[in-house]
Amino acid sequence: MARILAVDDDVAILDMIGAILGKDGHEVTKTGDPTKLELDKINQYDLILLDIMMPGIDGFELCTKIRNLVDCPILFITAKTEEGSLVNGLALGADDYICKPFGVMELRARIGAHLRREKREHFARLAVGRICFNLSEKMMMVDDEQITLTKAEYEICEFLAKNHGQVFSKEQILESVFGFDNESNDNTITTHIKNIRTKLSNYDYMPIKTVWGIGYKWTE
Amino acid sequence: MARILAVDDDVAILDMIGAILGKDGHEVTKTGDPTKLELDKINQYDLILLDIMMPGIDGFELCTKIRNLVDCPILFITAKTEEGSLVNGLALGADDYICKPFGVMELRARIGAHLRREKREHFARLAVGRICFNLSEKMMMVDDEQITLTKAEYEICEFLAKNHGQVFSKEQILESVFGFDNESNDNTITTHIKNIRTKLSNYDYMPIKTVWGIGYKWTE
DNA sequence: GGGATAAAAATAAAGATTTTATAAAGATGG
DNA sequence: CCATCTTTATAAAATCTTTATTTTTATCCC
């Protein structure tokens, strides 16, 4: 289900973590010697568990290094229960801080929550700014008022709004919305965008921005 | 900085949370009566704090309802310390579970971590000195303020900043940014550099240094 | 060291090119 | 036939490139 990296010098704990998470269907990579961690392959994991007090290397330092390389959740699992250590750890870019001895259920629940969130954020947003989508009915609403869009217009809006902020070229939009084998002219997208903008202009709303030379993006 | 909704029937705690987070620059909306919460406006918040045991409504139920409407982080703050309650809460779509009495520093650290993560996930970033690139949005920011660059300007900046410290000739920049088959005049680069510098000078920032007779490099 | 000189870079502004917006006609498919 | 999608042609906008000129920097020679 998820590829998880566990770094801890305590092999007993490592094995336990591996067993628990393995049962939940995750693929767990266990590392007992953090000094041998290959950082150039670190971005293959979906979630990383880190101990703090380890021989040879400081978990905090390691966290900083890893955070500079990846965006995935990093969770400290540690015997250091002081609040200051937690604050420090989270400030370094970690996402959670679990104190040993931890409850098995808590560990599973927290990891589950982090993975779920990752999915959630990656996935669709139904409501973006003044816009709201009803995916099953293929409807778009502005301020709770329904807008009549054609299918192509709707798909473009949904795609851009779901990935709002990000810029997409006309080719990318064509591909994502109408499939990779589509051979339409780029101007098709230009025209659709124009029509969408015309319809939204009735609401004084102009969420699709042109990024010159690159493409379009949905912004608030 | 962030718009935070806090829901708790204990007004003393509510006020304390409001004061703490207000100091951190957040805009806190406090709700002592969860039954009066207007769910249709719930998506205006960046993060939501929820108590579990409240008169009239169950925090778990409320969490489920809210999670169906928004994607933002939801944090339980509760006196229920049993592991089962934590597991249940996280399973319902919450992102964290903080037990009362909580440390002020821990609360701030955890909220900070959740907000930071939200940012992180939405953008592929590259930070060099005062500059931060948002690669997916093709945006460059100085001190968190966006700078309007043309495509060529942006590409040159991204290239130089990614390889900061290293010197590149105009030919190399042309080749790297516009492709090996580009036959433009070298002055094209000079002009672009000039325009970039003009835009950055508004921020008293001059990261592109001239290396006489050789080329340009990005330095802090 | 200092002034003349040449080379490189910065600047400013005009011209060329590219990209996007718009409008309207043609094609497609139910 | 109608709504929608696609294409074409043209206009408009933004950007890129070039040219010409000025300024800066380095070098050479005395």
Side-chain angles (χ1 to χ4, degrees), chain A residues 183-202:
Chain A
E183 290 176 5
S184 293
N185 194 314
D186 279 1
N187 247 15
T188 304
I189 295 297
T190 314
T191 303
H192 283 312
I193 297 273
K194 185 197 129 245
N195 293 333
I196 293 167
R197 281 175 171 165
T198 305
K199 288 180 180 177
L200 285 176
S201 69
N202 299 331

Side-chain angles (χ1 to χ4, degrees), chain B residues 133-152:
Chain B
F133 291 93
N134 183 329
L135 303 179
S136 54
E137 289 198 43
K138 297 273 178 194
M139 268 174 23
M140 191 174 92
M141 285 165 298
V142 179
D143 305 334
D144 292 327
E145 247 183 273
Q146 187 189 340
I147 293 196
T148 309
L149 297 176
T150 69
K151 185 177 184 241

Side-chain angles (χ1 to χ4, degrees), chain A residues 8 41 46 50-51 58 83 141 162 164 173 176 190 207:
Chain A
D8 198 324
K41 290 181 184 167
D46 301 313
L50 274 189
D51 190 13
D58 178 25
E83 193 174 11
M141 285 168 294
K162 270 184 176 175
H164 63 278
I173 297 174
S176 307
T190 314

Side-chain angles (χ1 to χ4, degrees), chain B residues 202-217:
Chain B
N202 299 330
Y203 299 85
D204 261 316
Y205 194 40
M206 177 74 169
I208 301 178
K209 302 278 185 293
T210 302
V211 182
W212 252 80
I214 303 177
Y216 299 96
K217 72 170 168 181

Side-chain angles (χ1 to χ4, degrees), chain B residues 136-183:
Chain B
S136 54
E137 289 198 43
K138 297 273 178 194
M139 268 174 23
M140 191 174 92
M141 285 165 298
V142 179
D143 305 334
D144 292 327
E145 247 183 273
Q146 187 189 340
I147 293 196
T148 309
L149 297 176
T150 69
K151 185 177 184 241
E153 288 162 9
Y154 175 85
E155 299 290 352
I156 291 172
C157 284
E158 191 185 305
F159 172 69
L160 289 179
K162 265 186 178 168
N163 302 285
H164 62 278
Q166 207 174 330
V167 187
F168 296 95
S169 70
K170 298 187 185 99
E171 288 82 0
Q172 282 178 304
I173 297 174
L174 261 179
E175 206 177 298
S176 306
V177 174
F178 303 104
F180 69 96
D181 52 347
N182 190 292
E183 291 175 5

Side-chain angles (χ1 to χ4, degrees), chain A residues 103-153:
Chain A
V104 171
M105 295 302 290
E106 172 167 357
L107 179 71
R108 292 174 58 203
R110 285 194 179 270
I111 288 176
H114 283 286
L115 293 174
R116 232 174 295 124
R117 175 170 183 177
E118 205 73 2
K119 250 192 188 167
R120 178 175 96 221
E121 311 229 321
H122 195 265
F123 220 87
R125 291 200 95 145
L126 302 183
V128 181
R130 292 169 57 191
I131 288 278
C132 183
F133 291 95
N134 184 329
L135 300 179
S136 53
E137 297 186 40
K138 298 273 177 196
M139 268 175 21
M140 189 173 94
M141 285 168 294
V142 179
D143 305 336
D144 295 326
E145 246 182 274
Q146 188 188 338
I147 291 198
T148 309
L149 296 176
T150 69
K151 183 164 184 291
E153 287 162 8

